[in-house]
Amino acid sequence: MNAWLWVATALLAAGFGPVVWAVATGPVGRRVVAQNFGTSAVCLVMLLLAQGYQRPSYTDLALVLAVLGPVGTLVYARLLADDLSPHPPHTGVLTMAAALATTAVVVAVCAATGPGRAMVKLLVTGALLVAGNVIASRAVSGGYRNAEATSHG
């Protein structure tokens, strides 16, 4: 077992264990935020496993997850807008943690991969993951409702 696999295991235990607990219990807002953070954690684990096992196909899976995960969160935010609006969840800390973790993992894996197409795919995956997480977190915390209120008012 190499260092990449150890880090993937630690991230899976530290990041995904609390996510499963938060999704299974608590109010709707916390569940949606945990689902969004869980997508980021699993995507990062896939990038680390791709490097640890030398399987580029895992990077493709992480890329697909980086696109579809935030879209799923946006769908939940839209469908559950009435349940989220009285007390919108605070997403700032988890969004920042996900962005920092994504940056750290992508930089480390890019350094190990070296220049080429694989590095470009890693950078695109990281950018999509950070941007999608920020956009989905803003939607969950009520950002789209504030934008609608300003445009109609």
Side-chain angles (χ1 to χ4, degrees), residues 12-116:
L12 191 61
F16 207 65
V19 165
V20 170
W21 177 80
V23 168
T25 63
V28 173
R30 186 171 76 190
R31 291 177 186 206
V32 175
V33 170
Q35 181 268 334
N36 188 37
F37 186 75
T39 299
S40 298
V42 169
C43 190
L44 295 177
V45 166
M46 294 312 267
L47 290 176
L48 291 166
L49 290 176
Q51 187 64 34
Y53 288 128
Q54 297 296 313
R55 303 273 183 175
S57 60
Y58 292 178
T59 305
D60 296 339
L61 183 60
L63 178 61
V64 170
L65 190 59
V67 172
L68 295 180
V71 171
T73 303
L74 291 173
V75 169
Y76 281 129
R78 188 68 175 155
L79 290 174
L80 300 172
D82 293 337
D83 294 332
L84 295 172
S85 58
H87 303 288
H90 301 287
T91 60
V93 173
L94 281 179
T95 301
M96 185 62 71
L100 291 174
T102 300
T103 303
V105 168
V106 169
V107 166
V109 174
C110 279
T113 301

